[in-house]
Amino acid sequence: MNFILLLPIIWAGIGLSMDAFSLAILYGTVGLTRHKAILLSLIVGIFHFFMPLLGYYFGKTLLTLISINSSVLIGIIFVIISIQMFLSLTKDEEVMPLTSLTSFLIFAFTVSIDSFSIGIGLSTLNSSIYLSSLVFAVLSAFFTLVGLTLGKKLSKIFGNISILIGSIILLLLGVYYFFT
């Protein structure tokens, strides 16, 4: 695959990873062990691999029922997710204790639900969903681990900046797809 064609997928993966990154910074302040930080990062990566796949196949089914311009649909999805991320900046995050596998799974599901929507959008493109999902998984696991590590050292303000950056990236991608 041409790197230029992969670039929007990488940017989308970075944008999607910002939720996990910002929450990981917050949870990093509670001092998870290195083993738990790695486990949580891997679980987040796994969710970011499978959620777009589920969205992709749901989107393929949906597209057989309705007719819509594929670029417009993915643009709409990116813009909606961007707005949701931006609006989340005004909310105070409650920290759920990460003490069990169940809490890790809930954390991973929460930060990867946006990937489901992106999968719906990707069902309209002629790109490899498996490669896209792999990129999302690797980036989200990486950003989660970095966020957990930095959380021990940085304030909550940096987490809000990362959400804003992710929101802007997804908004720009949405506008890009509107005009392609």
Side-chain angles (χ1 to χ4, degrees):
M1 176 178 254
N2 187 339
F3 179 74
I4 299 299
L5 297 176
L6 188 61
L7 200 54
I9 299 300
I10 292 170
W11 281 110
I14 291 170
L16 289 172
S17 298
M18 291 300 105
D19 268 352
F21 178 71
S22 62
L23 278 178
I25 288 174
L26 181 63
Y27 279 98
T29 62
V30 298
L32 291 176
T33 65
R34 180 126 177 98
H35 172 74
K36 285 186 177 181
I38 292 170
L39 178 62
L40 179 60
S41 299
L42 289 174
I43 292 171
V44 168
I46 290 168
F47 268 78
H48 272 85
F49 181 81
F50 285 107
M51 292 299 278
L53 289 175
L54 292 172
Y56 177 84
Y57 290 111
F58 176 77
K60 282 289 189 193
T61 303
L62 184 65
L63 286 174
T64 62
L65 303 174
I66 63 170
S67 176
I68 188 170
N69 180 314
S70 60
S71 292
V72 170
L73 178 63
I74 196 165
I76 290 169
I77 289 170
F78 277 130
V79 169
I80 289 171
I81 293 171
S82 171
I83 291 169
Q84 286 176 327
M85 286 177 71
F86 183 75
L87 292 175
S88 76
L89 289 171
T90 61
K91 297 178 187 174
D92 286 332
E93 299 285 347
E94 285 190 29
V95 178
M96 173 186 69
L98 292 176
T99 57
S100 66
L101 181 59
T102 303
S103 62
F104 280 25
L105 293 173
I106 291 170
F107 177 93
F109 178 77
T110 302
V111 298
S112 67
I113 194 71
D114 293 347
S115 295
F116 178 83
S117 302
I118 296 299
I120 293 172
L122 290 175
S123 69
T124 65
L125 301 176
N126 291 327
S127 63
S128 169
I129 185 60
Y130 294 104
L131 178 60
S132 299
S133 292
L134 181 62
V135 168
F136 297 163
V138 169
L139 287 171
S140 64
F142 171 76
F143 277 104
T144 300
L145 187 59
V146 169
L148 289 168
T149 303
L150 289 177
K152 295 177 182 178
K153 301 172 182 136
L154 303 175
S155 70
K156 185 179 174 185
I157 293 171
F158 191 70
N160 286 338
I161 291 171
S162 68
I163 291 176
L164 180 61
I165 291 168
S167 176
I168 290 169
I169 289 170
L170 291 177
L171 179 64
L172 292 174
L173 283 170
V175 171
Y176 167 79
Y177 279 106
F178 275 132
F179 295 106
T180 59

mmCIF file of all heavy atoms in Angstrom, residues 51-102:
data_model
loop_
_atom_site.group_PDB
_atom_site.id
_atom_site.type_symbol
_atom_site.label_atom_id
_atom_site.label_comp_id
_atom_site.label_asym_id
_atom_site.label_seq_id
_atom_site.Cartn_x
_atom_site.Cartn_y
_atom_site.Cartn_z
ATOM 1 N N MET A 51 -13.049 -3.263 17.251
ATOM 2 C CA MET A 51 -14.182 -2.341 17.112
ATOM 3 C C MET A 51 -14.331 -1.810 15.682
ATOM 4 O O MET A 51 -15.449 -1.776 15.154
ATOM 5 C CB MET A 51 -14.090 -1.207 18.124
ATOM 6 C CG MET A 51 -14.276 -1.653 19.565
ATOM 7 S SD MET A 51 -15.879 -2.404 19.888
ATOM 8 C CE MET A 51 -16.852 -0.921 20.116
ATOM 9 N N PRO A 52 -13.243 -1.411 14.998
ATOM 10 C CA PRO A 52 -13.417 -0.983 13.609
ATOM 11 C C PRO A 52 -13.893 -2.123 12.709
ATOM 12 O O PRO A 52 -14.654 -1.887 11.765
ATOM 13 C CB PRO A 52 -12.030 -0.509 13.178
ATOM 14 C CG PRO A 52 -11.267 -0.302 14.412
ATOM 15 C CD PRO A 52 -11.872 -1.185 15.456
ATOM 16 N N LEU A 53 -13.450 -3.344 13.004
ATOM 17 C CA LEU A 53 -13.922 -4.485 12.208
ATOM 18 C C LEU A 53 -15.425 -4.669 12.353
ATOM 19 O O LEU A 53 -16.132 -4.879 11.357
ATOM 20 C CB LEU A 53 -13.197 -5.770 12.627
ATOM 21 C CG LEU A 53 -11.728 -5.881 12.253
ATOM 22 C CD1 LEU A 53 -11.132 -7.158 12.835
ATOM 23 C CD2 LEU A 53 -11.545 -5.847 10.751
ATOM 24 N N LEU A 54 -15.907 -4.583 13.591
ATOM 25 C CA LEU A 54 -17.349 -4.692 13.814
ATOM 26 C C LEU A 54 -18.092 -3.571 13.093
ATOM 27 O O LEU A 54 -19.119 -3.810 12.442
ATOM 28 C CB LEU A 54 -17.668 -4.661 15.309
ATOM 29 C CG LEU A 54 -17.207 -5.856 16.129
ATOM 30 C CD1 LEU A 54 -17.407 -5.588 17.619
ATOM 31 C CD2 LEU A 54 -17.950 -7.109 15.704
ATOM 32 N N GLY A 55 -17.569 -2.358 13.201
ATOM 33 C CA GLY A 55 -18.179 -1.221 12.516
ATOM 34 C C GLY A 55 -18.150 -1.387 11.006
ATOM 35 O O GLY A 55 -19.110 -1.055 10.305
ATOM 36 N N TYR A 56 -17.048 -1.905 10.500
ATOM 37 C CA TYR A 56 -16.885 -2.120 9.067
ATOM 38 C C TYR A 56 -17.972 -3.061 8.532
ATOM 39 O O TYR A 56 -18.632 -2.763 7.542
ATOM 40 C CB TYR A 56 -15.498 -2.700 8.803
ATOM 41 C CG TYR A 56 -15.219 -3.047 7.365
ATOM 42 C CD1 TYR A 56 -14.783 -2.074 6.477
ATOM 43 C CD2 TYR A 56 -15.362 -4.355 6.896
ATOM 44 C CE1 TYR A 56 -14.514 -2.384 5.151
ATOM 45 C CE2 TYR A 56 -15.096 -4.679 5.581
ATOM 46 C CZ TYR A 56 -14.673 -3.689 4.716
ATOM 47 O OH TYR A 56 -14.407 -4.010 3.403
ATOM 48 N N TYR A 57 -18.140 -4.198 9.197
ATOM 49 C CA TYR A 57 -19.121 -5.162 8.708
ATOM 50 C C TYR A 57 -20.553 -4.678 8.933
ATOM 51 O O TYR A 57 -21.441 -4.941 8.117
ATOM 52 C CB TYR A 57 -18.867 -6.547 9.318
ATOM 53 C CG TYR A 57 -17.605 -7.144 8.743
ATOM 54 C CD1 TYR A 57 -16.458 -7.304 9.512
ATOM 55 C CD2 TYR A 57 -17.535 -7.499 7.394
ATOM 56 C CE1 TYR A 57 -15.289 -7.812 8.962
ATOM 57 C CE2 TYR A 57 -16.366 -8.011 6.836
ATOM 58 C CZ TYR A 57 -15.255 -8.156 7.625
ATOM 59 O OH TYR A 57 -14.099 -8.649 7.073
ATOM 60 N N PHE A 58 -20.774 -3.922 9.997
ATOM 61 C CA PHE A 58 -22.071 -3.286 10.199
ATOM 62 C C PHE A 58 -22.318 -2.270 9.087
ATOM 63 O O PHE A 58 -23.409 -2.205 8.523
ATOM 64 C CB PHE A 58 -22.127 -2.601 11.574
ATOM 65 C CG PHE A 58 -23.390 -1.845 11.816
ATOM 66 C CD1 PHE A 58 -24.565 -2.511 12.148
ATOM 67 C CD2 PHE A 58 -23.420 -0.457 11.699
ATOM 68 C CE1 PHE A 58 -25.741 -1.811 12.365
ATOM 69 C CE2 PHE A 58 -24.589 0.248 11.909
ATOM 70 C CZ PHE A 58 -25.754 -0.426 12.244
ATOM 71 N N GLY A 59 -21.297 -1.490 8.755
ATOM 72 C CA GLY A 59 -21.412 -0.488 7.695
ATOM 73 C C GLY A 59 -21.672 -1.120 6.341
ATOM 74 O O GLY A 59 -22.474 -0.600 5.549
ATOM 75 N N LYS A 60 -20.995 -2.216 6.051
ATOM 76 C CA LYS A 60 -21.227 -2.914 4.777
ATOM 77 C C LYS A 60 -22.692 -3.351 4.676
ATOM 78 O O LYS A 60 -23.319 -3.212 3.627
ATOM 79 C CB LYS A 60 -20.315 -4.138 4.655
ATOM 80 C CG LYS A 60 -18.903 -3.821 4.279
ATOM 81 C CD LYS A 60 -18.824 -3.381 2.839
ATOM 82 C CE LYS A 60 -17.390 -3.274 2.396
ATOM 83 N NZ LYS A 60 -17.257 -2.564 1.136
ATOM 84 N N THR A 61 -23.229 -3.862 5.788
ATOM 85 C CA THR A 61 -24.631 -4.279 5.804
ATOM 86 C C THR A 61 -25.545 -3.066 5.632
ATOM 87 O O THR A 61 -26.506 -3.106 4.864
ATOM 88 C CB THR A 61 -24.956 -5.000 7.133
ATOM 89 O OG1 THR A 61 -24.066 -6.107 7.279
ATOM 90 C CG2 THR A 61 -26.392 -5.469 7.166
ATOM 91 N N LEU A 62 -25.236 -1.989 6.315
ATOM 92 C CA LEU A 62 -26.025 -0.766 6.240
ATOM 93 C C LEU A 62 -26.018 -0.195 4.831
ATOM 94 O O LEU A 62 -27.051 0.267 4.333
ATOM 95 C CB LEU A 62 -25.482 0.264 7.240
ATOM 96 C CG LEU A 62 -26.235 1.567 7.389
ATOM 97 C CD1 LEU A 62 -27.620 1.320 7.970
ATOM 98 C CD2 LEU A 62 -25.458 2.531 8.276
ATOM 99 N N LEU A 63 -24.864 -0.231 4.167
ATOM 100 C CA LEU A 63 -24.763 0.328 2.817
ATOM 101 C C LEU A 63 -25.565 -0.459 1.788
ATOM 102 O O LEU A 63 -25.901 0.085 0.733
ATOM 103 C CB LEU A 63 -23.300 0.425 2.388
ATOM 104 C CG LEU A 63 -22.506 1.543 3.059
ATOM 105 C CD1 LEU A 63 -21.042 1.469 2.669
ATOM 106 C CD2 LEU A 63 -23.082 2.905 2.718
ATOM 107 N N THR A 64 -25.869 -1.718 2.076
ATOM 108 C CA THR A 64 -26.731 -2.463 1.162
ATOM 109 C C THR A 64 -28.181 -2.003 1.295
ATOM 110 O O THR A 64 -28.978 -2.201 0.393
ATOM 111 C CB THR A 64 -26.655 -3.980 1.423
ATOM 112 O OG1 THR A 64 -27.105 -4.258 2.747
ATOM 113 C CG2 THR A 64 -25.249 -4.507 1.220
ATOM 114 N N LEU A 65 -28.507 -1.352 2.415
ATOM 115 C CA LEU A 65 -29.872 -0.885 2.653
ATOM 116 C C LEU A 65 -30.107 0.561 2.225
ATOM 117 O O LEU A 65 -31.216 0.931 1.871
ATOM 118 C CB LEU A 65 -30.226 -1.032 4.143
ATOM 119 C CG LEU A 65 -30.097 -2.439 4.730
ATOM 120 C CD1 LEU A 65 -30.333 -2.399 6.229
ATOM 121 C CD2 LEU A 65 -31.090 -3.373 4.046
ATOM 122 N N ILE A 66 -29.037 1.396 2.287
ATOM 123 C CA ILE A 66 -29.175 2.807 1.916
ATOM 124 C C ILE A 66 -28.094 3.168 0.902
ATOM 125 O O ILE A 66 -27.075 2.508 0.800
ATOM 126 C CB ILE A 66 -29.066 3.749 3.136
ATOM 127 C CG1 ILE A 66 -27.679 3.650 3.799
ATOM 128 C CG2 ILE A 66 -30.160 3.495 4.129
ATOM 129 C CD1 ILE A 66 -27.416 4.706 4.838
ATOM 130 N N SER A 67 -28.343 4.237 0.177
ATOM 131 C CA SER A 67 -27.358 4.713 -0.796
ATOM 132 C C SER A 67 -26.891 6.101 -0.377
ATOM 133 O O SER A 67 -27.707 7.010 -0.223
ATOM 134 C CB SER A 67 -28.002 4.774 -2.189
ATOM 135 O OG SER A 67 -27.101 5.305 -3.110
ATOM 136 N N ILE A 68 -25.581 6.247 -0.173
ATOM 137 C CA ILE A 68 -25.005 7.523 0.219
ATOM 138 C C ILE A 68 -23.589 7.615 -0.338
ATOM 139 O O ILE A 68 -22.916 6.588 -0.487
ATOM 140 C CB ILE A 68 -24.998 7.717 1.758
ATOM 141 C CG1 ILE A 68 -24.579 9.130 2.132
ATOM 142 C CG2 ILE A 68 -24.147 6.682 2.427
ATOM 143 C CD1 ILE A 68 -24.777 9.467 3.605
ATOM 144 N N ASN A 69 -23.156 8.803 -0.645
ATOM 145 C CA ASN A 69 -21.793 9.032 -1.118
ATOM 146 C C ASN A 69 -20.835 8.628 -0.001
ATOM 147 O O ASN A 69 -20.921 9.124 1.121
ATOM 148 C CB ASN A 69 -21.622 10.507 -1.488
ATOM 149 C CG ASN A 69 -20.243 10.813 -1.994
ATOM 150 O OD1 ASN A 69 -19.238 10.399 -1.420
ATOM 151 N ND2 ASN A 69 -20.184 11.557 -3.082
ATOM 152 N N SER A 70 -19.893 7.758 -0.310
ATOM 153 C CA SER A 70 -19.006 7.205 0.715
ATOM 154 C C SER A 70 -18.128 8.271 1.359
ATOM 155 O O SER A 70 -17.920 8.247 2.572
ATOM 156 C CB SER A 70 -18.144 6.095 0.128
ATOM 157 O OG SER A 70 -17.349 6.598 -0.925
ATOM 158 N N SER A 71 -17.616 9.215 0.592
ATOM 159 C CA SER A 71 -16.764 10.249 1.166
ATOM 160 C C SER A 71 -17.548 11.141 2.120
ATOM 161 O O SER A 71 -17.039 11.550 3.165
ATOM 162 C CB SER A 71 -16.135 11.108 0.071
ATOM 163 O OG SER A 71 -15.211 10.353 -0.661
ATOM 164 N N VAL A 72 -18.792 11.441 1.768
ATOM 165 C CA VAL A 72 -19.628 12.267 2.633
ATOM 166 C C VAL A 72 -19.910 11.529 3.943
ATOM 167 O O VAL A 72 -19.824 12.114 5.027
ATOM 168 C CB VAL A 72 -20.944 12.657 1.926
ATOM 169 C CG1 VAL A 72 -21.919 13.317 2.892
ATOM 170 C CG2 VAL A 72 -20.663 13.575 0.749
ATOM 171 N N LEU A 73 -20.209 10.234 3.858
ATOM 172 C CA LEU A 73 -20.498 9.460 5.071
ATOM 173 C C LEU A 73 -19.297 9.435 6.014
ATOM 174 O O LEU A 73 -19.442 9.715 7.209
ATOM 175 C CB LEU A 73 -20.905 8.022 4.725
ATOM 176 C CG LEU A 73 -21.176 7.109 5.912
ATOM 177 C CD1 LEU A 73 -22.356 7.629 6.737
ATOM 178 C CD2 LEU A 73 -21.432 5.688 5.451
ATOM 179 N N ILE A 74 -18.111 9.145 5.503
ATOM 180 C CA ILE A 74 -16.949 9.098 6.387
ATOM 181 C C ILE A 74 -16.616 10.498 6.904
ATOM 182 O O ILE A 74 -16.222 10.660 8.057
ATOM 183 C CB ILE A 74 -15.728 8.414 5.730
ATOM 184 C CG1 ILE A 74 -14.705 8.045 6.803
ATOM 185 C CG2 ILE A 74 -15.092 9.278 4.672
ATOM 186 C CD1 ILE A 74 -13.655 7.068 6.362
ATOM 187 N N GLY A 75 -16.824 11.522 6.089
ATOM 188 C CA GLY A 75 -16.626 12.897 6.549
ATOM 189 C C GLY A 75 -17.550 13.245 7.697
ATOM 190 O O GLY A 75 -17.141 13.833 8.702
ATOM 191 N N ILE A 76 -18.818 12.859 7.573
ATOM 192 C CA ILE A 76 -19.809 13.105 8.639
ATOM 193 C C ILE A 76 -19.393 12.396 9.920
ATOM 194 O O ILE A 76 -19.446 12.968 11.013
ATOM 195 C CB ILE A 76 -21.215 12.659 8.189
ATOM 196 C CG1 ILE A 76 -21.751 13.602 7.109
ATOM 197 C CG2 ILE A 76 -22.181 12.597 9.368
ATOM 198 C CD1 ILE A 76 -23.018 13.102 6.420
ATOM 199 N N ILE A 77 -18.966 11.154 9.805
ATOM 200 C CA ILE A 77 -18.570 10.380 10.987
ATOM 201 C C ILE A 77 -17.375 11.029 11.684
ATOM 202 O O ILE A 77 -17.371 11.201 12.902
ATOM 203 C CB ILE A 77 -18.272 8.905 10.601
ATOM 204 C CG1 ILE A 77 -19.579 8.205 10.243
ATOM 205 C CG2 ILE A 77 -17.558 8.182 11.741
ATOM 206 C CD1 ILE A 77 -19.415 6.836 9.631
ATOM 207 N N PHE A 78 -16.365 11.435 10.913
ATOM 208 C CA PHE A 78 -15.197 12.100 11.512
ATOM 209 C C PHE A 78 -15.588 13.398 12.210
ATOM 210 O O PHE A 78 -15.121 13.686 13.306
ATOM 211 C CB PHE A 78 -14.121 12.387 10.466
ATOM 212 C CG PHE A 78 -13.206 11.219 10.172
ATOM 213 C CD1 PHE A 78 -12.961 10.826 8.870
ATOM 214 C CD2 PHE A 78 -12.581 10.533 11.197
ATOM 215 C CE1 PHE A 78 -12.112 9.775 8.589
ATOM 216 C CE2 PHE A 78 -11.730 9.470 10.929
ATOM 217 C CZ PHE A 78 -11.500 9.090 9.622
ATOM 218 N N VAL A 79 -16.445 14.198 11.575
ATOM 219 C CA VAL A 79 -16.858 15.476 12.165
ATOM 220 C C VAL A 79 -17.661 15.240 13.448
ATOM 221 O O VAL A 79 -17.441 15.913 14.455
ATOM 222 C CB VAL A 79 -17.647 16.330 11.147
ATOM 223 C CG1 VAL A 79 -18.306 17.524 11.821
ATOM 224 C CG2 VAL A 79 -16.719 16.807 10.027
ATOM 225 N N ILE A 80 -18.560 14.265 13.452
ATOM 226 C CA ILE A 80 -19.357 13.971 14.651
ATOM 227 C C ILE A 80 -18.456 13.534 15.801
ATOM 228 O O ILE A 80 -18.595 14.003 16.934
ATOM 229 C CB ILE A 80 -20.433 12.901 14.351
ATOM 230 C CG1 ILE A 80 -21.524 13.504 13.461
ATOM 231 C CG2 ILE A 80 -21.038 12.346 15.640
ATOM 232 C CD1 ILE A 80 -22.525 12.491 12.926
ATOM 233 N N ILE A 81 -17.515 12.649 15.523
ATOM 234 C CA ILE A 81 -16.601 12.193 16.577
ATOM 235 C C ILE A 81 -15.748 13.358 17.074
ATOM 236 O O ILE A 81 -15.514 13.500 18.279
ATOM 237 C CB ILE A 81 -15.722 11.026 16.081
ATOM 238 C CG1 ILE A 81 -16.586 9.796 15.835
ATOM 239 C CG2 ILE A 81 -14.632 10.694 17.095
ATOM 240 C CD1 ILE A 81 -15.869 8.664 15.147
ATOM 241 N N SER A 82 -15.314 14.209 16.160
ATOM 242 C CA SER A 82 -14.525 15.380 16.538
ATOM 243 C C SER A 82 -15.316 16.288 17.479
ATOM 244 O O SER A 82 -14.799 16.747 18.501
ATOM 245 C CB SER A 82 -14.125 16.158 15.281
ATOM 246 O OG SER A 82 -13.551 17.397 15.612
ATOM 247 N N ILE A 83 -16.569 16.526 17.148
ATOM 248 C CA ILE A 83 -17.423 17.376 17.996
ATOM 249 C C ILE A 83 -17.636 16.731 19.360
ATOM 250 O O ILE A 83 -17.569 17.403 20.390
ATOM 251 C CB ILE A 83 -18.760 17.680 17.285
ATOM 252 C CG1 ILE A 83 -18.509 18.593 16.076
ATOM 253 C CG2 ILE A 83 -19.771 18.308 18.245
ATOM 254 C CD1 ILE A 83 -19.701 18.734 15.148
ATOM 255 N N GLN A 84 -17.874 15.422 19.377
ATOM 256 C CA GLN A 84 -18.045 14.715 20.650
ATOM 257 C C GLN A 84 -16.799 14.835 21.515
ATOM 258 O O GLN A 84 -16.885 15.061 22.722
ATOM 259 C CB GLN A 84 -18.362 13.233 20.419
ATOM 260 C CG GLN A 84 -19.749 12.970 19.926
ATOM 261 C CD GLN A 84 -19.948 11.488 19.626
ATOM 262 O OE1 GLN A 84 -19.036 10.778 19.201
ATOM 263 N NE2 GLN A 84 -21.162 11.019 19.860
ATOM 264 N N MET A 85 -15.638 14.672 20.908
ATOM 265 C CA MET A 85 -14.390 14.790 21.667
ATOM 266 C C MET A 85 -14.225 16.202 22.205
ATOM 267 O O MET A 85 -13.854 16.397 23.359
ATOM 268 C CB MET A 85 -13.182 14.420 20.792
ATOM 269 C CG MET A 85 -13.056 12.946 20.536
ATOM 270 S SD MET A 85 -11.676 12.548 19.421
ATOM 271 C CE MET A 85 -10.282 12.892 20.477
ATOM 272 N N PHE A 86 -14.523 17.195 21.362
ATOM 273 C CA PHE A 86 -14.389 18.583 21.786
ATOM 274 C C PHE A 86 -15.341 18.891 22.941
ATOM 275 O O PHE A 86 -14.960 19.535 23.917
ATOM 276 C CB PHE A 86 -14.647 19.523 20.601
ATOM 277 C CG PHE A 86 -14.461 20.967 20.939
ATOM 278 C CD1 PHE A 86 -13.185 21.491 21.098
ATOM 279 C CD2 PHE A 86 -15.551 21.799 21.121
ATOM 280 C CE1 PHE A 86 -13.009 22.826 21.421
ATOM 281 C CE2 PHE A 86 -15.380 23.134 21.443
ATOM 282 C CZ PHE A 86 -14.102 23.648 21.594
ATOM 283 N N LEU A 87 -16.574 18.409 22.857
ATOM 284 C CA LEU A 87 -17.544 18.652 23.922
ATOM 285 C C LEU A 87 -17.170 17.934 25.217
ATOM 286 O O LEU A 87 -17.542 18.379 26.305
ATOM 287 C CB LEU A 87 -18.954 18.239 23.473
ATOM 288 C CG LEU A 87 -19.564 19.096 22.361
ATOM 289 C CD1 LEU A 87 -20.911 18.522 21.924
ATOM 290 C CD2 LEU A 87 -19.702 20.547 22.793
ATOM 291 N N SER A 88 -16.426 16.841 25.101
ATOM 292 C CA SER A 88 -16.012 16.109 26.306
ATOM 293 C C SER A 88 -15.010 16.902 27.131
ATOM 294 O O SER A 88 -14.771 16.580 28.293
ATOM 295 C CB SER A 88 -15.439 14.742 25.942
ATOM 296 O OG SER A 88 -14.139 14.868 25.414
ATOM 297 N N LEU A 89 -14.422 17.936 26.551
ATOM 298 C CA LEU A 89 -13.456 18.757 27.283
ATOM 299 C C LEU A 89 -14.097 19.467 28.462
ATOM 300 O O LEU A 89 -13.422 19.797 29.434
ATOM 301 C CB LEU A 89 -12.819 19.804 26.351
ATOM 302 C CG LEU A 89 -11.849 19.266 25.318
ATOM 303 C CD1 LEU A 89 -11.476 20.367 24.332
ATOM 304 C CD2 LEU A 89 -10.622 18.698 25.971
ATOM 305 N N THR A 90 -15.403 19.720 28.387
ATOM 306 C CA THR A 90 -16.076 20.448 29.462
ATOM 307 C C THR A 90 -16.512 19.535 30.600
ATOM 308 O O THR A 90 -16.911 20.014 31.650
ATOM 309 C CB THR A 90 -17.322 21.184 28.921
ATOM 310 O OG1 THR A 90 -18.239 20.213 28.373
ATOM 311 C CG2 THR A 90 -16.932 22.191 27.849
ATOM 312 N N LYS A 91 -16.427 18.236 30.395
ATOM 313 C CA LYS A 91 -16.844 17.287 31.424
ATOM 314 C C LYS A 91 -15.678 16.961 32.351
ATOM 315 O O LYS A 91 -14.545 16.848 31.909
ATOM 316 C CB LYS A 91 -17.340 15.979 30.797
ATOM 317 C CG LYS A 91 -18.558 16.135 29.927
ATOM 318 C CD LYS A 91 -18.913 14.788 29.332
ATOM 319 C CE LYS A 91 -20.022 14.915 28.308
ATOM 320 N NZ LYS A 91 -20.266 13.644 27.641
ATOM 321 N N ASP A 92 -15.974 16.787 33.616
ATOM 322 C CA ASP A 92 -14.967 16.297 34.554
ATOM 323 C C ASP A 92 -15.004 14.777 34.530
ATOM 324 O O ASP A 92 -16.059 14.171 34.696
ATOM 325 C CB ASP A 92 -15.246 16.779 35.984
ATOM 326 C CG ASP A 92 -14.911 18.245 36.162
ATOM 327 O OD1 ASP A 92 -14.025 18.738 35.439
ATOM 328 O OD2 ASP A 92 -15.539 18.890 37.022
ATOM 329 N N GLU A 93 -13.860 14.176 34.305
ATOM 330 C CA GLU A 93 -13.762 12.720 34.255
ATOM 331 C C GLU A 93 -13.745 12.147 35.670
ATOM 332 O O GLU A 93 -13.025 12.624 36.525
ATOM 333 C CB GLU A 93 -12.477 12.290 33.536
ATOM 334 C CG GLU A 93 -12.379 12.757 32.106
ATOM 335 C CD GLU A 93 -13.253 11.976 31.166
ATOM 336 O OE1 GLU A 93 -13.764 10.905 31.556
ATOM 337 O OE2 GLU A 93 -13.436 12.447 30.041
ATOM 338 N N GLU A 94 -14.578 11.140 35.876
ATOM 339 C CA GLU A 94 -14.522 10.427 37.144
ATOM 340 C C GLU A 94 -13.579 9.250 36.978
ATOM 341 O O GLU A 94 -13.642 8.528 35.998
ATOM 342 C CB GLU A 94 -15.916 9.918 37.538
ATOM 343 C CG GLU A 94 -16.818 11.003 38.050
ATOM 344 C CD GLU A 94 -18.085 10.428 38.657
ATOM 345 O OE1 GLU A 94 -18.049 9.289 39.165
ATOM 346 O OE2 GLU A 94 -19.096 11.116 38.612
ATOM 347 N N VAL A 95 -12.733 9.082 37.941
ATOM 348 C CA VAL A 95 -11.750 8.013 37.856
ATOM 349 C C VAL A 95 -12.318 6.754 38.489
ATOM 350 O O VAL A 95 -12.556 6.701 39.683
ATOM 351 C CB VAL A 95 -10.432 8.423 38.557
ATOM 352 C CG1 VAL A 95 -9.434 7.294 38.495
ATOM 353 C CG2 VAL A 95 -9.872 9.676 37.922
ATOM 354 N N MET A 96 -12.562 5.755 37.630
ATOM 355 C CA MET A 96 -12.996 4.455 38.103
ATOM 356 C C MET A 96 -11.739 3.678 38.466
ATOM 357 O O MET A 96 -10.781 3.666 37.691
ATOM 358 C CB MET A 96 -13.757 3.738 36.987
ATOM 359 C CG MET A 96 -14.124 2.310 37.296
ATOM 360 S SD MET A 96 -14.876 1.463 35.893
ATOM 361 C CE MET A 96 -13.502 1.316 34.775
ATOM 362 N N PRO A 97 -11.711 3.072 39.629
ATOM 363 C CA PRO A 97 -10.503 2.329 40.006
ATOM 364 C C PRO A 97 -10.200 1.210 39.005
ATOM 365 O O PRO A 97 -11.092 0.486 38.592
ATOM 366 C CB PRO A 97 -10.838 1.749 41.378
ATOM 367 C CG PRO A 97 -12.128 2.332 41.791
ATOM 368 C CD PRO A 97 -12.762 2.985 40.607
ATOM 369 N N LEU A 98 -8.965 1.119 38.588
ATOM 370 C CA LEU A 98 -8.538 0.060 37.675
ATOM 371 C C LEU A 98 -7.867 -1.034 38.497
ATOM 372 O O LEU A 98 -6.654 -1.093 38.623
ATOM 373 C CB LEU A 98 -7.570 0.623 36.629
ATOM 374 C CG LEU A 98 -8.159 1.590 35.625
ATOM 375 C CD1 LEU A 98 -7.074 2.152 34.716
ATOM 376 C CD2 LEU A 98 -9.245 0.940 34.802
ATOM 377 N N THR A 99 -8.714 -1.886 39.061
ATOM 378 C CA THR A 99 -8.192 -2.911 39.963
ATOM 379 C C THR A 99 -8.456 -4.334 39.473
ATOM 380 O O THR A 99 -7.926 -5.274 40.033
ATOM 381 C CB THR A 99 -8.819 -2.752 41.356
ATOM 382 O OG1 THR A 99 -10.238 -2.813 41.229
ATOM 383 C CG2 THR A 99 -8.410 -1.427 41.981
ATOM 384 N N SER A 100 -9.276 -4.470 38.432
ATOM 385 C CA SER A 100 -9.632 -5.809 37.981
ATOM 386 C C SER A 100 -9.655 -5.859 36.455
ATOM 387 O O SER A 100 -9.654 -4.827 35.784
ATOM 388 C CB SER A 100 -11.014 -6.191 38.520
ATOM 389 O OG SER A 100 -12.006 -5.358 37.940
ATOM 390 N N LEU A 101 -9.720 -7.063 35.929
ATOM 391 C CA LEU A 101 -9.823 -7.245 34.485
ATOM 392 C C LEU A 101 -11.096 -6.593 33.960
ATOM 393 O O LEU A 101 -11.097 -5.990 32.883
ATOM 394 C CB LEU A 101 -9.779 -8.736 34.130
ATOM 395 C CG LEU A 101 -9.852 -9.065 32.646
ATOM 396 C CD1 LEU A 101 -8.699 -8.421 31.886
ATOM 397 C CD2 LEU A 101 -9.860 -10.559 32.425
ATOM 398 N N THR A 102 -12.175 -6.676 34.715
ATOM 399 C CA THR A 102 -13.432 -6.054 34.306
ATOM 400 C C THR A 102 -13.272 -4.547 34.143
ATOM 401 O O THR A 102 -13.726 -3.971 33.146
ATOM 402 C CB THR A 102 -14.550 -6.356 35.331
ATOM 403 O OG1 THR A 102 -14.685 -7.773 35.456
ATOM 404 C CG2 THR A 102 -15.862 -5.741 34.905
#
